[in-house]
Amino acid sequence: MPYLPHNFTPRATIIIIVLFVAAASGISAQTVSPAAVIVPPTREVVDEAGRTVRIPLSPTRIVSLAPSLTETIYALGLQDHLVGDTDYCDYPPDAQKKPKVGGGINPNLEVIVSLHPDLVLLTKSFNRLDTVRALDTLGIPSYSTDPHTVDEIISSTEKLADVLGAPDAGKSLAEDLQHRLASLEAKLTPLPPTRVLFIVWLQPLMSIGKGTFVADALRKAGANSVVESSQDWPQMDLEAVVQLQPDYLVFAETHSNAGASEFDSLAITPGWRLLDAVHNHHFAVVSDAVIRPAPRIVSVIENLARQLHPDAFQEAPGPEREPTPQKPPDPPGANLYQPANPFFDDTLSAAATCAR
């Protein structure tokens, strides 16, 4: 392969490759017309890592190197363009059926190349710069995201939708998420925030720093983390936690193996039993989606808010009505079993539907 100067355009690069292959095959260069080379239209964008990258106008073969990005692709309805993802991309369940390229930290580049992607998606906080450089060397376009707050997760989703050629889907999804957060804020604004300790791991005890999107998610759920660390995932000293006395302990599901038996064991564990939250059984458990910067985090925020501030979600009483005239009582023994009240039947049916 001849040396290609760094300032060659993709079109020029492809033409040279075609001519080189033609020469190696004994085909006259005059028979190969540059105009016959079909080059997919591209455009330049600046990704969230600050890189200016050239990408296809409408990518059709996408590889995701982060679970959060895989979730986002599905949320935008673009899963048919996803041709590969990582071993840890497990949501929605259909994502587990996609071809796997290994882990996000050390993906298998040979597998990625074999999938012929026209765009690889990464997130700056999870994937390595070495992976980005390797993809550049291979001539595979890549785009990085880098959200640090819940609002940035939403805006990042909208930007990604535009990059993937689906701006309308991105706008619609962003508006829905913003509307839900605004509705939640209206309910929680009158209430004082709950002081919580978010527990990523119990042994060693690990929490989240104040600058993470997880801490921001807690705030939007009507809570403040008692941890003031500038580290993203600080290891905590249990004595310090006892001094802080959080009102609630918040667990991510599988990352803590949270369950009733574990909560019970904390009540007899040295150190933990000194926490009022343990004595009062003030535990909240949320989906692991809380640690993924993807649209699903809004559902986690709503769920956590309901656990911490149930009173904010009580239905307001309806307007007073004129009392319903009472019919005379039935004679003794008549109609011992009255038909079910249709009002309560409809209410319970609606509640069951919402629960699904």
Side-chain angles (χ1 to χ4, degrees), residues 94 171 216 299 322 332-333:
D94 185 69
K171 182 179 180 182
D216 188 48
S299 296
E322 290 294 324

Side-chain angles (χ1 to χ4, degrees), residues 43-257:
R43 59 171 169 153
E44 278 191 351
V45 298
V46 178
D47 71 7
E48 294 175 25
R51 298 182 307 135
T52 299
V53 294
R54 182 167 288 279
I55 63 172
L57 277 179
S58 297
T60 58
R61 297 188 62 81
I62 303 165
V63 168
S64 164
L65 294 185
S68 59
L69 292 170
T70 296
E71 288 194 18
T72 303
I73 290 170
Y74 274 87
L76 293 170
L78 300 174
Q79 59 271 19
D80 289 346
H81 298 314
L82 183 66
V83 297
D85 60 21
T86 75
D87 298 339
Y88 303 100
C89 294
D90 56 3
Y91 187 90
D94 185 69
Q96 300 176 42
K97 302 174 185 176
K98 298 289 184 179
K100 300 302 175 183
V101 300
I105 305 299
N106 290 298
N108 189 317
L109 294 173
E110 289 185 10
V111 175
I112 293 176
V113 171
S114 72
L115 295 172
H116 307 291
D118 53 15
L119 185 63
V120 173
L121 300 179
L122 312 96
T123 188
K124 185 179 176 182
S125 61
F126 178 63
N127 303 111
R128 296 191 308 158
L129 182 58
D130 286 349
T131 302
V132 175
R133 290 170 175 162
L135 292 170
D136 286 344
T137 300
L138 292 167
I140 300 175
S142 64
Y143 178 91
S144 296
T145 64
D146 189 31
H148 294 276
T149 66
V150 174
D151 289 339
E152 286 181 6
I153 291 172
I154 296 174
S155 63
S156 178
T157 297
E158 193 167 7
K159 290 176 190 173
L160 184 60
D162 183 67
V163 165
L164 300 181
D168 291 342
K171 182 179 180 182
S172 176
L173 178 58
E175 287 177 350
D176 174 65
L177 298 174
Q178 289 163 347
H179 174 75
R180 288 161 61 187
L181 288 175
S183 175
L184 186 62
E185 183 181 11
K187 287 182 171 69
L188 298 178
T189 294
L191 304 174
T194 302
R195 298 173 65 254
V196 305
L197 173 69
F198 182 92
I199 298 173
V200 180
W201 300 106
L202 274 172
Q203 294 181 346
L205 178 57
M206 189 178 295
S207 187
I208 45 97
K210 61 183 178 180
T212 61
F213 67 85
V214 181
D216 188 48
L218 295 179
R219 289 189 286 270
K220 290 188 179 297
N224 280 334
S225 171
V226 296
V227 179
E228 290 292 328
S229 175
S230 58
Q231 298 178 29
D232 285 350
W233 310 100
Q235 191 166 320
M236 300 294 296
D237 180 72
L238 188 52
E239 270 187 40
V241 173
V242 172
Q243 293 295 321
L244 292 169
Q245 285 295 340
D247 301 321
Y248 261 82
L249 304 182
V250 180
F251 293 83
E253 280 175 343
T254 59
H255 281 251
S256 62
N257 298 316

